[in-house]
Amino acid sequence: MSTPIDRPLQGYRFVETRHGDTLQAVAAREMGDASRWPEIVSYNRLLPPFITDDPLLAGPGIILSGEPVRIPAPAPAANAFSNPDATFLADIKLTNGLIEADGAGDMMLCEGLPNLRQALVHRVVTERGELMYHPGYGSLIKRLLGTVNGPTASLLAAQYARAAVESDERVQEVTEVTAEVVGDAVNVSVRATAISGRIVAFTEGI
């Protein structure tokens, strides 16, 4: 038998798997998007073949069909009057692109305005087209890496960053963007107003 998941994470729920299931089928049925199956792998620390109908193959990291798996829970409706930042929801907390864990080994969450900031940074630093199932996500800034620095390159970098930030529906207005191309790096600073009226700002090197 595979190792049971005995400690749920905040913001997640358990669903039963079925005979013949694949993770793509679970993601499509429970999350509405089959392409999100890698999230199930991460949340449950699974190993190939991930899920099986054969009890002899089941074990640590391999779920036997019929056992529960952990998936993200639907976000609760935000109360914009009592807590405006609730509209920014929550996501896994990342530091330098790596998942952070708490003392119990569970993944930490980034909530509210910090989550919006993290999401905007990720939009800016991700190269557009890098995510197969989200080809319009990200920015074009990495195209400028290695170009000669100058007013044109800096202006383009700022425009690319602005477009990426403005594409997030939680942003009301981008008030300031500066960028500088320095050889193999681009330094970007962004200041924006969220739909709650709060200010979110960040400086990131790419």
Side-chain angles (χ1 to χ4, degrees), residues 5-152:
I5 303 167
D6 56 8
R7 186 174 58 250
L9 293 176
Q10 180 182 1
Y12 297 86
R13 64 188 177 96
F14 292 102
V15 298
E16 294 291 333
T17 57
R18 304 173 183 174
H19 184 80
D21 257 346
T22 64
L23 293 190
Q24 290 91 336
V26 175
R29 182 173 66 241
E30 302 291 346
M31 301 162 67
D33 185 350
S35 69
R36 295 181 64 186
W37 69 268
E39 297 177 45
I40 302 177
V41 173
S42 297
Y43 300 156
N44 296 276
R45 302 185 181 95
L46 299 181
L47 301 171
F50 309 127
I51 184 171
T52 180
D53 295 328
D54 186 349
L56 296 178
L57 293 179
I62 302 176
I63 294 173
L64 180 65
S65 58
E67 293 184 340
V69 291
R70 187 166 50 202
I71 67 170
N79 185 334
F81 295 99
S82 62
N83 182 14
D85 286 353
T87 57
F88 306 138
L89 307 180
D91 204 344
I92 297 171
K93 186 176 182 180
L94 301 175
T95 300
N96 297 323
L98 300 177
I99 295 175
E100 283 198 33
D102 60 20
D106 289 333
M107 289 176 287
M108 297 179 66
L109 295 181
C110 186
E111 301 176 292
L113 195 66
N115 181 46
L116 175 59
R117 180 187 180 280
Q118 175 176 278
L120 296 181
V121 170
H122 195 263
R123 279 183 181 273
V124 170
V125 303
T126 300
E127 185 173 8
R128 186 179 297 177
E130 182 177 332
L131 302 181
M132 181 182 301
Y133 295 101
H134 304 279
Y137 181 92
S139 77
L140 301 176
I141 289 179
K142 289 186 177 179
R143 294 185 179 183
L144 301 173
L145 295 179
T147 62
V148 177
N149 189 24
T152 300

